[in-house]
Amino acid sequence: MLGYLGAIALLVFAVYLMVGASKTANAMDREAFERTNAAGVQEFESYDQLVKERNRGWMARSKAWLSLMALAGAALLALATYIQRDSAQTRAAIDEERYYNYCKAAWDEYKGSLEYCRKWCEFPANKGDCRKVFGSADGPVGDTRQR
């Protein structure tokens, strides 16, 4: 859940940067239009104004690129969180199936330890079945089943 919140925060930051870059670019375009003479050449009052305008353009482009990187980072963070969460659920399902198979062998065929039955009974979805089969939601008592 924390990974998703981080991805949302990063997404909001990316949108904030993109809006800021867009506003700066629009203001620069308006000022450039106002500075353009009849021949289509921009006129600056001084060289310092030209350098200042170039720096503003560099900052706007940097904001835009940083925004795109933050957007990609948010997508990667959300994907990584989903994969990590999904793999944990998959591992739990694999463990449950493995415990069930070992428990079935221990209970039905008298082969192996009943510890696997107790581990299988730890899964909340199996509590009712454990109560029916073993008489307890915690699983069977003892190490092995005797004939």
Side-chain angles (χ1 to χ4, degrees), residues 52-109:
K52 182 180 173 185
E53 198 63 27
R54 284 182 182 166
N55 288 340
R56 279 181 67 197
W58 182 84
M59 288 299 292
R61 286 189 301 277
S62 297
K63 277 184 181 180
W65 280 109
L66 187 59
S67 172
L68 292 176
M69 286 188 278
L71 190 62
L76 287 175
L77 183 59
L79 181 65
T81 302
Y82 173 76
I83 289 171
Q84 185 265 340
R85 190 167 164 240
D86 189 48
S87 66
Q89 290 172 344
T90 302
R91 267 186 267 120
I94 290 169
D95 286 345
E96 181 181 7
E97 185 176 356
R98 182 169 47 98
Y99 293 150
Y100 173 76
N101 290 334
Y102 284 136
C103 176
K104 186 174 178 184
W107 190 256
D108 294 343
E109 302 166 15

Side-chain angles (χ1 to χ4, degrees), residues 103-113 144-147:
C103 176
K104 186 174 178 184
W107 190 256
D108 294 343
E109 302 166 15
Y110 300 93
K111 295 178 184 174
S113 172
T144 57
R145 184 169 183 214
Q146 305 298 322
R147 291 182 191 225

Side-chain angles (χ1 to χ4, degrees), residues 4-17:
Y4 289 128
L5 292 176
I8 290 170
L10 204 54
L11 181 66
V12 168
F13 180 67
V15 168
Y16 170 76
L17 284 177

